[in-house]
Amino acid sequence: AALRLGADPTKIEELRRGIPLKLVKYLIETEKFEKAGELLLELELEGDYELEISELYILLLNKTNQFKWDEILVLIEQNKFSTAEVKIIEWEKNDNAPSNLPKLKKYLQQEKTEFTQKKRRERVRSLIDNNKFSDAKRELDRWDHTGEDIIGLKELTAYLVDKNKKSIVIDHGTGLMWQKEPDGKQRNWKNAKWYC
């Protein structure tokens, strides 16, 4: 119709040729990566778009990588560490994985460790607050053997001692504890050991 109205055939051809390229860009921008890849492959097979194809493939790769990166960050923020880890491992196998992927992996490990430490602190604090001192002490002993989060360990050990002052005596030189007043119950060796 434009030709019949006297439009310049060169301009029309230029516009017609640009439509598939704009469509690919639109598909990439709207995160329809698979469709964009299919269309790019079709254009590549046509052979008329050699100069533009490589640029669009790079755009597709960058956008796809950014989408995956953001998706993994969301999983980490939601504390879905296992799923994030699996996605990173799968991505590492891909030839097109970004060179800064180890940074994301390191960030995941940091967040995972911080979350675990936070949960451990909350669990021990809850035991102490509920006067389950022997359970709290057992948790603190296990924690001490890991060598992790020393500050949290010391804070909660001090909190345990402070909360438990009424019922125990502590030798700070050895770390040994004694019950201040007997509870009047008879126990065999196994039960006494467990109670201690």
Side-chain angles (χ1 to χ4, degrees), residues 56-133:
L56 287 171
Y57 270 123
I58 290 169
L59 178 65
L60 175 61
L61 177 64
N62 289 341
K63 285 288 189 176
T64 304
N65 283 344
Q66 187 62 56
F67 180 81
K68 285 181 183 178
W69 188 282
D70 293 343
E71 185 180 44
I72 291 170
L73 282 178
V74 168
L75 290 170
I76 293 170
E77 287 170 13
Q78 295 172 345
N79 302 323
K80 295 179 180 176
F81 304 117
S82 299
T83 308
E85 205 161 18
V86 166
K87 287 197 176 281
I88 289 174
I89 290 167
E90 288 173 359
W91 199 3
E92 283 177 319
K93 294 176 187 174
N94 191 331
D95 292 338
N96 295 327
S99 60
N100 61 347
L101 194 56
K103 286 183 181 178
L104 185 60
K105 200 172 187 178
K106 185 177 178 182
Y107 175 68
L108 166 65
Q109 291 308 318
Q110 288 171 342
E111 290 297 306
K112 189 176 178 181
T113 300
E114 193 175 300
F115 178 77
T116 304
Q117 290 173 353
K118 182 180 173 196
K119 282 296 190 192
R120 181 188 286 152
R121 285 181 184 199
E122 289 171 358
R123 185 175 62 246
V124 172
R125 177 80 185 222
S126 173
L127 289 170
I128 296 168
D129 288 342
N130 290 308
N131 298 323
K132 295 182 178 178
F133 302 122

Side-chain angles (χ1 to χ4, degrees), residues 5 8-9 11 21 27 29 32 34 49 72 80 87 92 103-104 108 117 139 142 149-150 155 165 167 175 177 189:
L5 293 171
D8 181 4
K11 282 270 190 196
L21 300 174
L27 290 170
E29 293 299 323
K32 294 179 176 82
E34 195 173 323
Y49 296 94
I72 291 170
K80 295 179 180 176
K87 287 197 176 281
E92 283 177 319
K103 286 183 181 178
L104 185 60
L108 166 65
Q117 290 173 353
E139 284 288 325
R142 276 193 220 123
D149 190 18
I150 302 300
E155 286 173 355
K165 275 183 183 171
S167 60
M177 298 182 187
W189 175 251

Side-chain angles (χ1 to χ4, degrees), residues 135-148:
D135 291 340
K137 178 75 171 106
R138 198 168 26 257
E139 284 288 325
L140 289 169
D141 288 342
R142 276 193 220 123
W143 185 347
D144 190 26
H145 292 297
T146 67
E148 299 169 350

